[in-house]
Amino acid sequence: MESNKTFTMIKPDAVANGHIGAILDKIIANGFKIIALKYTALNAEKAGEFYSVHKGRPFYNALVSFMSSGPIVAAILEKENAIEDYRKLIGATDPTKAEPGTIRNLFAKSIDANAVHGSDSDENAAIEGNFFFSAFERF
Ligand code: IDP
Ligand code: MG
């Protein structure tokens, strides 16, 4: 399993609020290389599949509905220590608890509409990257 890659999505709230460019800029400025990039959308079925680890949690239905409410940007990022460094860059799940200067602190409005996704492990980064990208879409 590669430990130098993570997977991210710019969620529908951040896309709708015009933050795609600013978020990608912050990702690049913080030393991440973009390996794969896609502007796309999840339907409810696909969003449910992507977040199936959260099935049964009280926020699952709202999460699926939110994540399929509009277009998203999906990306695979590369950097040494990518998982941990990217989690640090995005900040806490609840943007009111996210450190100043983090992506969620700057661009998220609420715990459900929290601007970005970031993988939590090498294993999930690989699964999530494979969910969106074929071998021909990685550089
Ligand atoms: P993470 O995105 O920081 O890894 P997770 O616990 O994996 O957080 O939850 C996945 C997503 O589900 C969150 O990013 C957020 O959009 C949503 N979520 C998590 N906890 C809550 C909650 O308590 N209320 C509403 N939405 C939540
Ligand atoms: Mg998570």
Side-chain angles (χ1 to χ4, degrees), residues 39-91:
Y39 187 39
T40 184
L42 292 166
N43 61 23
E45 189 194 341
K46 282 287 182 196
E49 196 184 328
F50 184 88
Y51 282 109
S52 58
V53 290
H54 294 303
K55 209 167 182 174
R57 305 272 288 275
F59 58 84
Y60 177 75
N61 287 344
L63 177 61
V64 167
S65 153
F66 166 65
M67 286 304 296
S68 55
S69 67
I72 57 109
V73 174
I76 299 173
L77 309 176
E78 183 179 76
K79 183 183 188 291
E80 207 176 293
N81 204 32
I83 298 285
E84 198 185 330
D85 286 3
Y86 193 64
R87 294 294 307 199
K88 221 173 277 170
L89 179 62
I90 68 177

Side-chain angles (χ1 to χ4, degrees), residues 117-138:
H117 168 82
S119 303
D120 60 9
S121 65
D122 292 337
E123 190 190 358
N124 285 334
I127 292 168
E128 292 167 1
N130 290 338
F131 190 89
F132 283 92
F133 297 102
S134 76
F136 299 101
E137 298 171 307
R138 299 166 194 234

